[in-house]
């Protein structure tokens, strides 16, 4: 394969160019690697016909669906959650109006309101409702009592994103249509199956990761909770892949980062940079395969 092809827009191919859809997986700060995927699609001149996402993947997908370029999402990310002073200032703006309000009912883990947090961190380019997006977006959440996945495609975007990213024990569940919703990655860590009927080539990006170590040390309480969640999501994904696979499934090199390592945004992006060329090569193979088909 000619390396020069990696930066040539695939949109310059004949009008019968296969359609593309992308599923951004959940994984907390590891999902910042999705920025490379969006940049690669921008550089190739590819506009997905549909986007799906779970947790951080839904948030990144919303930016792309709103018409933001990968470079803009990168700049916003590094200027906000990648900047400690900026994070502190934005979180300070969410402080309770008084000490009494702060301690009423006592402090409890999992009481943080992610919807309020997203409103001070998300870029203004993301509209209020799904109807105002430029690309159709499917947001995956988990119906806690219904014990099933909920795919959200209409209504308020930020509420849907908060529901999809409501990590248990950290953020409050979110009510959607009268139902209690938590992190979409619990049921569907890479929600690609909804896209399979919609595009010729479906790209899935897995940033779930898994516990790392020498196999001998005992993890602390927090690491064991998050590690168990990763193992559960990997088991779910492995079962899904036996039933139906996306045409492209990639795993950025982000395993060493923890779910809440957002202040390490620069390091996450540096560690996962190779995924951009991996995606371009995989797309070129898939495009050529379909264009050669009778």
């Amino acid at each position: 394969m000619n390396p020069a092809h990696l930066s040539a827009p695939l949109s310059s191919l004949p009008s019968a160019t296969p359609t593309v859809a992308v599923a951004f997986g959940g994984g907390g700060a590891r999902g910042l690697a999705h920025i490379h995927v969006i940049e690669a699609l921008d550089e190739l001149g590819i506009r997905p016909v549909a986007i799906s996402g779970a947790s951080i993947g839904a948030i990144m997908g919303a930016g792309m669906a709103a018409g933001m370029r990968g470079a803009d999402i990168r700049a916003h990310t590094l200027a906000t959650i990648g900047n400690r002073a900026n994070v502190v200032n934005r979180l300070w703006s969410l402080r309770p109006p008084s000490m009494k309000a702060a301690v009423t009912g006592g402090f409890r883990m999992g009481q943080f309101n992610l919807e309020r947090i997203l409103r001070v961190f998300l870029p203004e380019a993301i509209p209020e409702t799904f109807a105002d997006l430029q690309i159709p977006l499917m947001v995956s959440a988990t119906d806690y009592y219904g014990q099933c996945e909920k795919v959200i495609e209409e209504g308020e975007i930020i509420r849907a994103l908060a529901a999809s990213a409501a990590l248990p024990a950290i953020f409050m569940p979110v009510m959607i249509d009268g139902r209690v919703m938590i992190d979409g990655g619990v049921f569907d860590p890479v929600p690609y199956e909804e896209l399979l009927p919609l595009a010729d080539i479906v790209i899935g990006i897995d940033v779930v990761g898994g516990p790392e170590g020498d196999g001998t040390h005992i993890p602390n309480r927090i690491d064991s909770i998050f590690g168990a969640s990763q193992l559960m999501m990997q088991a779910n994904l492995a079962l899904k892949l036996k039933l139906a696979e996306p045409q492209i499934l990639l795993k950025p090199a982000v395993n060493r980062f923890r779910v809440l390592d957002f202040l390490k945004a620069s390091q996450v992006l540096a560690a996962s940079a190779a995924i951009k060329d991996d995606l371009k090569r995989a797309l070129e193979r898939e495009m050529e395969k379909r264009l050669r088909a009778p």
Side-chain angles (χ1 to χ4, degrees):
M1 183 185 67
N2 184 350
H5 290 175
L6 295 178
S7 58
L10 290 177
S11 59
S12 62
L13 292 171
S15 58
T17 298
T19 55
V20 172
V22 58
F24 296 108
R30 295 184 291 272
L32 298 179
H34 292 319
I35 292 172
H36 294 300
V37 173
I38 300 171
E39 289 177 333
L41 294 174
D42 289 341
E43 292 167 12
L44 293 172
I46 294 176
R47 180 184 174 90
V49 296
I51 297 169
S52 67
S55 198
I56 184 67
I59 294 171
M60 291 292 171
M64 187 181 197
M68 295 182 69
R69 294 182 59 81
D72 299 325
I73 297 174
R74 175 191 289 265
H76 180 83
T77 298
L78 294 177
T80 53
I81 60 174
N83 182 311
R84 183 181 296 273
N86 199 313
V87 168
V88 171
N89 288 338
R90 289 175 186 247
L91 291 178
W92 180 251
S93 72
L94 297 173
R95 69 191 185 281
S98 67
M99 181 59 69
K100 180 179 179 180
V103 300
T104 297
F107 175 80
R108 300 185 305 277
M109 284 296 291
Q111 72 176 6
F112 298 110
N113 186 322
L114 183 55
E115 189 173 350
R116 292 187 65 213
I117 293 172
L118 289 178
R119 288 191 182 279
V120 300
F121 279 97
L122 290 182
E124 294 181 359
I126 295 180
E128 286 293 320
T129 67
F130 282 80
D132 295 321
L133 292 171
Q134 297 182 17
I135 300 173
L137 173 67
M138 302 178 186
V139 172
S140 177
T142 297
D143 185 327
Y144 183 76
Y145 291 109
Q147 303 174 33
C148 62
E149 181 182 13
K150 167 72 171 178
V151 178
I152 308 168
E153 302 178 71
E154 59 184 13
E156 298 179 24
I157 291 177
I158 291 184
R159 176 167 287 267
L161 297 181
S164 183
L167 187 66
I170 301 295
F171 300 114
M172 295 168 53
V174 176
M175 299 295 294
I176 299 284
D177 296 333
R179 306 292 300 179
V180 176
M181 299 292 162
I182 62 171
D183 191 342
V186 171
F187 241 85
D188 201 347
V190 187
Y192 61 81
E193 62 274 23
E194 294 93 347
L195 302 176
L196 293 176
L198 303 179
D200 300 311
I201 300 173
V202 174
I203 304 164
I205 308 298
D206 173 13
V207 292
V208 171
E212 280 199 334
D214 59 11
T216 62
H217 74 281
I218 303 298
N220 61 40
R221 184 180 303 176
I222 298 299
D223 284 345
S224 64
I225 291 173
F226 288 139
S229 177
Q230 287 175 297
L231 295 174
M232 175 191 66
M233 289 190 286
Q234 288 288 12
N236 287 351
L237 180 57
L239 178 59
K240 285 206 316 169
L241 290 171
K242 290 181 179 179
L243 299 174
E245 297 181 338
Q247 283 71 34
I248 298 172
L249 180 65
L250 298 176
K251 297 185 179 185
V254 290
N255 206 43
R256 66 185 177 89
F257 297 99
R258 296 182 177 181
V259 69
L260 297 178
D261 276 346
F262 288 101
L263 288 174
K264 296 182 179 179
S266 295
Q267 294 97 309
V268 173
L269 288 169
S272 58
I275 198 71
K276 183 182 288 189
D277 282 349
D278 290 344
L279 175 58
K280 290 180 178 180
R281 293 187 181 95
L283 273 169
E284 184 166 3
R285 287 193 298 270
E286 289 295 327
M287 292 283 187
E288 291 178 347
K289 182 192 306 182
R290 281 158 177 77
L291 290 173
R292 287 197 304 266

